[in-house]
């Protein structure tokens, strides 16, 4: 009977367990915190620097946000909304 009980518990463990580490073990691991304490601020700082320097706008081919805001002095209104479909069709 012991063998059957062991087989049942092994089978349940097989179907329930995903084989991954529990989240508590991951959060208590020092290596997790060292990696994230370094990478998250580094990603934020690199994003701020790339936008502030304008390199991201040059790569995307769009005007810089300061030049874009200073060049638009009036609102552009759409008077004929159906002409947009014809313009896109001609592309």
């Amino acid at each position: 009977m012991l063998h059957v009980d062991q087989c049942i518990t092994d089978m349940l463990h097989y179907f329930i367990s995903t084989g991954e580490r529990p989240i508590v073990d991951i959060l208590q691991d020092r290596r997790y915190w060292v990696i994230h304490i370094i990478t998250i601020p580094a990603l934020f700082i690199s994003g701020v620097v790339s936008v502030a320097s304008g390199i991201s706008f040059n790569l995307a081919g769009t005007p810089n946000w300061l030049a874009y805001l200073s060049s638009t002095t009036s609102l552009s209104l759409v008077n004929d909304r159906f002409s947009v479909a014809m313009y896109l069709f001609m592309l």
Side-chain angles (χ1 to χ4, degrees):
M1 188 68 172
L2 182 65
H3 180 66
V4 174
D5 290 340
Q6 183 64 32
C7 288
I8 291 173
T9 56
D10 287 344
M11 201 165 44
L12 285 175
H13 179 71
Y14 175 75
F15 287 118
I16 294 173
S17 175
T18 60
E20 299 175 359
R21 290 174 57 190
I23 191 70
V24 175
D25 287 348
I26 295 171
L27 292 177
Q28 290 176 348
D29 191 12
R30 288 185 181 158
R31 192 171 38 170
Y32 171 84
W33 288 108
V34 168
I35 290 170
H36 286 82
I37 283 173
I38 293 170
T39 55
I40 292 173
L43 287 172
F44 177 76
I45 291 170
S46 65
V48 168
V49 168
S50 68
V51 169
S53 67
I55 195 167
S56 57
F57 297 105
N58 293 338
L59 290 174
T62 58
N64 196 342
W65 62 279
L66 288 174
Y68 181 76
L69 291 176
S70 65
S71 67
T72 50
T73 56
S74 64
L75 294 174
S76 59
L77 299 175
V78 177
N79 294 328
D80 187 16
R81 62 185 174 145
F82 297 108
S83 65
V84 174
M86 288 303 296
Y87 176 75
L88 291 175
F89 181 72
M90 291 172 25
L91 288 177

